[in-house]
Amino acid sequence: MLRAEQIDFYRTQGYLVLERRIPDSLIAEAKDELARFIEMARGMEQSDSVLDLESSHRSDAPRVRRVKLPHKVSPVFDALMRSEWILEPVRDLIGNSVRLHTSKLNLKSAGYGAAVEWHQDWAFYPHTNDDVLAVGVMLDDVGPENGPLLIFPGSHQGEIFDHHAEGYFCGAMSLAKSGLDPADAVALTAPAGSISIHHGRVVHGSDLNRSTRDRALLLYEMTAVDAWPLQGSFSEMGTLEDYDTRILCGDSTIAPRLESVPVRLPIPKPQDVASIYQVQRGLSERTFDVIEGQVGSAAAPHKDQAENQAAG
Ligand SMILES: O=C(O)CCC(=O)C(=O)O
């Protein structure tokens, strides 16, 4: 369904935005579902296996940062993931056999939604080839002011940057050390119902949402079925049978396609994976600010081990 020039744009720039791809009725359904999850946080004291709470959350004033593995906890998010609205363009980019890596719904709510420090998804889960991407479904209108995804075009063709701090993997990189110029970052802005697709190696992040408009982004991270996770990455396989339950379309294989791709393994893992936020706060050169009283940014903590195991 993608035009040749869109495929070419993705190959050279490392991202694509398809405006108003998802029908309004499905976005409305997804937003109703999201409201239900936010209400579930009322009365909660701490994050659990489904909801990741903002550090400024109070049980009487719920603040959710992320719904973890939305496709597992909601038939609505599962059905959307398996729909042609999502899979059709993905197949055009990485082939007919597609496997889910993981999913999450990042809320970035008005006024306080946490930033995500610069990183490459590939730093968390390198594979034998880089047909690895993330589809973002914009549940709200995304403008420059409410924390859009920021992407460095073309950075998927470069190196894998150091995502370590104090000897441990911390899931975030120093932009200053990378040599990338912040002025070159592109904001992926579009109306609700649009989707973005970004390559697993592209450098990206997003700022705090200080605006008055929410910015919920539903992310489905996918790989070609013959892209095989490297040992040491944040990828749980279990048995082949378990692993293949994540195939969204196409055929199983036990013949990984090997390509010459740059790899820097996310090891050693932080000692206490459950408190990866703690480790990320230790990153000395943060790009994005924190709001007073709010604990630092959330450099892709969704990719923590516990959650990924659940995805398996
Ligand atoms: O929610 C966002 O703004 C960014 C999410 C992201 O980069 C990620 O989860 O890898």
Side-chain angles (χ1 to χ4, degrees):
M1 58 102 13
L2 292 177
R3 297 190 307 274
E5 62 264 32
Q6 290 175 306
I7 296 175
D8 190 50
F9 184 91
Y10 172 80
R11 300 245 183 277
T12 57
Q13 305 300 308
Y15 73 97
L16 199 58
V17 175
L18 303 179
E19 292 211 353
R20 297 192 167 86
R21 167 83 185 147
I22 313 290
D24 290 350
S25 58
L26 294 186
I27 294 296
E29 207 182 345
K31 292 205 70 167
D32 286 349
E33 195 71 342
L34 173 56
R36 194 171 67 75
F37 281 102
I38 295 174
E39 205 39 45
M40 274 167 49
R42 193 173 295 283
M44 279 175 62
E45 298 294 342
Q46 56 188 24
S47 302
D48 64 11
S49 59
V50 177
L51 298 182
D52 183 18
L53 304 176
E54 296 274 359
S55 53
S56 54
H57 164 89
R58 291 204 327 260
S59 57
D60 58 349
R63 288 186 165 190
V64 179
R65 176 159 48 198
R66 169 174 295 145
V67 179
K68 302 175 187 177
L69 301 173
H71 75 287
K72 282 211 162 184
V73 294
S74 156
V76 171
F77 298 132
D78 184 70
L80 180 56
M81 174 183 76
R82 294 173 196 281
S83 74
E84 288 300 293
W85 302 113
I86 301 294
L87 292 181
E88 207 178 21
V90 170
R91 281 196 302 265
D92 283 352
L93 297 176
I94 60 174
N96 287 336
S97 296
V98 177
R99 188 182 333 255
L100 177 69
H101 175 71
T102 193
S103 74
K104 64 258 178 170
L105 203 177
N106 291 348
L107 270 66
K108 209 182 279 281
S109 303
Y112 58 83
V116 176
E117 280 290 328
W118 297 108
H119 66 282
Q120 293 162 294
D121 295 341
W122 183 264
F124 291 79
Y125 46 86
H127 281 62
T128 56
N129 67 67
D130 66 0
D131 278 333
V132 171
L133 54 71
V135 180
V137 180
M138 302 180 199
L139 300 187
D140 296 301
D141 292 339
V142 182
E145 73 294 345
N146 62 344
L149 209 52
L150 302 170
I151 297 266
F152 280 96
S155 55
H156 64 302
Q157 293 176 337
E159 66 187 280
I160 302 306
F161 293 102
D162 184 0
H163 288 63
H164 285 65
E166 293 170 18
Y168 290 93
F169 181 73
C170 73
M173 53 179 267
S174 155
L175 202 59
K177 286 186 191 146
S178 73
L180 293 168
D181 180 349
D184 292 336
V186 169
L188 306 192
T189 57
S194 304
I195 67 172
S196 61
I197 302 181
H198 67 262
H199 191 282
R201 283 171 56 191
V202 90
V203 175
H204 62 287
S206 61
D207 204 350
L208 284 163
N209 184 1
R210 293 188 181 78
S211 80
T212 52
R213 290 197 302 111
D214 290 339
R215 192 239 60 178
L217 183 68
L218 175 58
L219 284 158
Y220 299 121
E221 297 176 6
M222 299 177 181
T223 71
V225 167
D226 64 3
W228 216 257
L230 300 183
Q231 182 154 17
S233 79
F234 283 83
S235 291
E236 294 297 324
M237 277 184 51
T239 64
L240 181 63
E241 203 179 12
D242 294 336
Y243 195 45
D244 281 353
T245 61
R246 290 199 231 148
I247 294 180
L248 301 174
C249 52
D251 303 319
S252 170
T253 181
I254 53 164
R257 177 164 44 96
L258 302 176
E259 279 178 5
S260 173
V261 280
V263 170
R264 199 187 273 262
L265 289 173
I267 50 175
K269 306 267 192 295
Q271 277 164 333
D272 181 0
V273 174
S275 69
I276 195 168
Y277 287 104
Q278 215 56 41
V279 182
Q280 289 159 348
R281 263 178 269 153
L283 186 73
S284 53
E285 292 169 44
R286 312 206 68 82
T287 300
F288 301 112
D289 273 351
V290 296
I291 286 177
E292 203 55 38
Q294 166 114 349
V295 178
S297 63
H302 55 288
K303 298 184 184 76
D304 74 34
Q305 201 168 36
E307 198 169 332
N308 221 299
Q309 276 162 352

